[in-house]
Amino acid sequence: MMFEKTYTVRWADMDPNGHMRHSAYNDYAAQHRIEFLAASGFTLPYFAKAGLGPILFREDTRFLKELHINEALRVGGELSGLNADGSRWNIVHTLYKPDGRPAATVSVEGAWLDLRTRKLTTPPPEIAALMAELPRHESYRDL
């Protein structure tokens, strides 16, 4: 199941050089992950009630092409790693320019945090299954 979203590069995303600032790429990748979960019913209120949240251990961004104000920015996500119980996961987000060329990749390593105990935890089976449905990136490996 491919989940893609298209956004418009905003004024607030720009840097003094006239292209999208480096941290905005990561912001769009994070927004994409949250919208992917919400589209399947796992909204921020759901996570608050469940006392569960996604966390990141690593985030690596590769910049390939500039993005400019008012450009359409398409973001996709592919699974690059998952462990058997779904508690740890890796995702590669690709951010595309309007012509389809990759503008950047944002690779993240994450897990699920029990917000009450502040310890890593296993997600509910429905979330683990949803994560497993993400398309596999060419670099996918079992964790």
CSV table of all heavy atoms in Angstrom, one decimal, residues 3-5 8 14-15 22-23 26 30-31 39-41 44 48 51 61-62 67 73 76 80 88 104 111 120 129:
chain,number,residue,atom,x,y,z
A,3,PHE,N,1.4,5.1,0.3
A,3,PHE,CA,0.8,6.3,0.8
A,3,PHE,C,1.6,7.5,0.4
A,3,PHE,O,2.8,7.6,0.8
A,3,PHE,CB,0.6,6.2,2.3
A,3,PHE,CG,-0.1,7.4,2.9
A,3,PHE,CD1,-1.4,7.4,3.0
A,3,PHE,CD2,0.7,8.4,3.5
A,3,PHE,CE1,-2.1,8.5,3.5
A,3,PHE,CE2,0.0,9.5,4.1
A,3,PHE,CZ,-1.4,9.5,4.1
A,4,GLU,N,1.1,8.4,-0.4
A,4,GLU,CA,1.8,9.6,-0.8
A,4,GLU,C,0.9,10.8,-0.5
A,4,GLU,O,-0.3,10.7,-0.6
A,4,GLU,CB,2.1,9.5,-2.3
A,4,GLU,CG,3.2,8.5,-2.7
A,4,GLU,CD,3.6,8.6,-4.1
A,4,GLU,OE1,2.8,9.1,-5.0
A,4,GLU,OE2,4.7,8.2,-4.4
A,5,LYS,N,1.6,11.9,-0.3
A,5,LYS,CA,0.8,13.1,0.0
A,5,LYS,C,1.6,14.2,-0.8
A,5,LYS,O,2.8,14.2,-1.0
A,5,LYS,CB,0.8,13.5,1.4
A,5,LYS,CG,0.0,12.6,2.3
A,5,LYS,CD,-1.4,12.8,2.2
A,5,LYS,CE,-1.9,14.2,2.7
A,5,LYS,NZ,-3.3,14.4,2.8
A,8,THR,N,2.5,21.9,-0.7
A,8,THR,CA,3.0,23.1,-1.3
A,8,THR,C,4.1,23.7,-0.5
A,8,THR,O,3.8,24.0,0.7
A,8,THR,CB,1.9,24.1,-1.6
A,8,THR,OG1,0.9,23.5,-2.4
A,8,THR,CG2,2.4,25.4,-2.3
A,14,MET,N,11.3,28.5,3.6
A,14,MET,CA,12.4,29.0,2.8
A,14,MET,C,13.6,29.5,3.7
A,14,MET,O,13.4,29.9,4.8
A,14,MET,CB,11.9,30.2,1.9
A,14,MET,CG,10.7,29.8,1.0
A,14,MET,SD,10.9,28.3,0.1
A,14,MET,CE,12.2,28.9,-1.1
A,15,ASP,N,14.7,29.4,3.1
A,15,ASP,CA,15.9,30.0,3.7
A,15,ASP,C,16.4,31.2,3.0
A,15,ASP,O,15.8,31.6,1.9
A,15,ASP,CB,17.0,28.9,3.8
A,15,ASP,CG,17.7,28.6,2.5
A,15,ASP,OD1,17.5,29.3,1.5
A,15,ASP,OD2,18.5,27.6,2.5
A,22,HIS,N,16.9,23.4,5.2
A,22,HIS,CA,17.3,22.0,5.4
A,22,HIS,C,16.3,21.2,6.3
A,22,HIS,O,15.9,20.1,6.1
A,22,HIS,CB,18.7,21.8,5.9
A,22,HIS,CG,18.9,22.3,7.3
A,22,HIS,ND1,19.0,23.7,7.6
A,22,HIS,CD2,19.0,21.7,8.4
A,22,HIS,CE1,19.2,23.8,8.9
A,22,HIS,NE2,19.2,22.6,9.4
A,23,SER,N,15.9,21.9,7.4
A,23,SER,CA,15.1,21.2,8.4
A,23,SER,C,13.6,21.0,7.9
A,23,SER,O,12.9,20.2,8.4
A,23,SER,CB,15.1,21.9,9.7
A,23,SER,OG,14.7,23.2,9.6
A,26,ASN,N,12.8,17.5,6.7
A,26,ASN,CA,12.5,16.5,7.8
A,26,ASN,C,11.1,16.8,8.3
A,26,ASN,O,10.4,15.8,8.7
A,26,ASN,CB,13.6,16.7,8.9
A,26,ASN,CG,15.0,16.4,8.4
A,26,ASN,OD1,15.4,17.1,7.5
A,26,ASN,ND2,15.6,15.5,9.0
A,30,ALA,N,8.2,14.0,8.6
A,30,ALA,CA,7.4,13.7,9.9
A,30,ALA,C,5.9,13.9,9.7
A,30,ALA,O,5.1,13.1,10.1
A,30,ALA,CB,7.9,14.7,10.9
A,31,GLN,N,5.5,14.9,8.9
A,31,GLN,CA,4.1,15.1,8.7
A,31,GLN,C,3.5,14.0,7.9
A,31,GLN,O,2.4,13.5,8.1
A,31,GLN,CB,3.9,16.4,7.9
A,31,GLN,CG,2.5,16.8,7.6
A,31,GLN,CD,1.7,17.1,8.9
A,31,GLN,OE1,2.2,17.5,9.9
A,31,GLN,NE2,0.4,16.8,8.9
A,39,ALA,N,-4.5,8.4,8.6
A,39,ALA,CA,-5.4,7.9,7.5
A,39,ALA,C,-6.0,6.5,7.8
A,39,ALA,O,-7.0,6.1,7.3
A,39,ALA,CB,-4.7,7.8,6.2
A,40,SER,N,-5.3,5.8,8.7
A,40,SER,CA,-5.8,4.4,9.1
A,40,SER,C,-6.5,4.5,10.5
A,40,SER,O,-6.7,3.4,11.1
A,40,SER,CB,-4.7,3.4,9.1
A,40,SER,OG,-4.2,3.3,7.8
A,41,GLY,N,-6.7,5.7,11.0
A,41,GLY,CA,-7.5,5.8,12.3
A,41,GLY,C,-6.6,6.0,13.5
A,41,GLY,O,-7.1,6.1,14.6
A,44,LEU,N,-3.6,11.6,16.5
A,44,LEU,CA,-2.9,12.0,17.7
A,44,LEU,C,-3.8,11.8,18.9
A,44,LEU,O,-3.2,11.4,20.0
A,44,LEU,CB,-2.5,13.5,17.5
A,44,LEU,CG,-1.4,13.7,16.5
A,44,LEU,CD1,-1.0,15.2,16.4
A,44,LEU,CD2,-0.1,12.9,16.8
A,48,ALA,N,-2.6,9.7,22.3
A,48,ALA,CA,-2.7,10.3,23.6
A,48,ALA,C,-3.5,9.4,24.5
A,48,ALA,O,-3.0,9.1,25.7
A,48,ALA,CB,-3.3,11.7,23.5
A,51,GLY,N,-1.6,6.2,25.3
A,51,GLY,CA,-0.3,6.4,26.0
A,51,GLY,C,0.9,5.9,25.2
A,51,GLY,O,1.8,5.3,25.7
A,61,THR,N,19.3,12.9,6.3
A,61,THR,CA,18.7,13.5,5.1
A,61,THR,C,19.8,13.7,4.0
A,61,THR,O,20.9,14.2,4.3
A,61,THR,CB,18.1,14.9,5.5
A,61,THR,OG1,17.2,14.8,6.6
A,61,THR,CG2,17.4,15.6,4.3
A,62,ARG,N,19.4,13.3,2.8
A,62,ARG,CA,20.2,13.5,1.6
A,62,ARG,C,19.6,14.5,0.7
A,62,ARG,O,18.4,14.2,0.3
A,62,ARG,CB,20.4,12.1,0.9
A,62,ARG,CG,20.9,11.0,1.8
A,62,ARG,CD,22.4,11.3,2.2
A,62,ARG,NE,22.7,10.3,3.2
A,62,ARG,CZ,23.9,10.0,3.5
A,62,ARG,NH1,24.9,10.6,2.9
A,62,ARG,NH2,24.2,9.1,4.5
A,67,LEU,N,14.3,22.7,-3.8
A,67,LEU,CA,12.8,23.0,-3.8
A,67,LEU,C,12.6,24.5,-3.6
A,67,LEU,O,13.3,25.1,-2.8
A,67,LEU,CB,12.1,22.1,-2.8
A,67,LEU,CG,12.0,20.7,-3.1
A,67,LEU,CD1,11.6,19.9,-1.9
A,67,LEU,CD2,11.0,20.5,-4.3
A,73,LEU,N,5.2,19.5,-3.7
A,73,LEU,CA,6.2,18.6,-3.1
A,73,LEU,C,5.5,17.3,-2.8
A,73,LEU,O,4.6,17.3,-2.0
A,73,LEU,CB,6.8,19.2,-1.9
A,73,LEU,CG,7.5,18.3,-0.9
A,73,LEU,CD1,8.8,17.7,-1.5
A,73,LEU,CD2,7.9,19.1,0.4
A,76,GLY,N,6.6,10.4,-0.3
A,76,GLY,CA,6.2,9.0,-0.1
A,76,GLY,C,7.1,8.4,0.9
A,76,GLY,O,8.1,8.9,1.4
A,80,SER,N,12.2,0.4,5.3
A,80,SER,CA,13.5,-0.1,5.0
A,80,SER,C,14.0,-1.1,6.1
A,80,SER,O,15.0,-1.6,6.0
A,80,SER,CB,14.5,1.0,4.8
A,80,SER,OG,14.6,1.8,6.0
A,88,ARG,N,10.2,-1.9,16.4
A,88,ARG,CA,11.2,-1.1,15.8
A,88,ARG,C,11.1,-1.1,14.3
A,88,ARG,O,10.7,-2.1,13.7
A,88,ARG,CB,12.6,-1.6,16.1
A,88,ARG,CG,12.9,-1.4,17.6
A,88,ARG,CD,14.4,-1.7,17.8
A,88,ARG,NE,14.7,-1.5,19.2
A,88,ARG,CZ,15.5,-0.5,19.7
A,88,ARG,NH1,16.1,0.3,18.9
A,88,ARG,NH2,15.7,-0.4,21.0
A,104,ALA,N,15.0,14.9,-2.3
A,104,ALA,CA,15.7,14.5,-1.1
A,104,ALA,C,15.2,13.1,-0.6
A,104,ALA,O,14.1,12.7,-1.0
A,104,ALA,CB,15.5,15.5,0.0
A,111,ALA,N,10.9,3.7,16.8
A,111,ALA,CA,10.3,2.7,17.6
A,111,ALA,C,9.1,3.3,18.3
A,111,ALA,O,8.7,4.4,18.0
A,111,ALA,CB,11.3,2.2,18.7
A,120,LEU,N,10.5,1.8,25.8
A,120,LEU,CA,10.1,1.2,24.5
A,120,LEU,C,9.1,0.1,24.7
A,120,LEU,O,9.1,-0.6,25.8
A,120,LEU,CB,11.3,0.7,23.8
A,120,LEU,CG,12.4,1.7,23.4
A,120,LEU,CD1,13.6,1.0,22.7
A,120,LEU,CD2,11.9,2.8,22.6
A,129,ALA,N,0.6,-4.4,12.1
A,129,ALA,CA,0.2,-4.8,10.8
A,129,ALA,C,0.2,-3.7,9.8
A,129,ALA,O,0.6,-3.9,8.6
A,129,ALA,CB,-1.2,-5.4,10.9
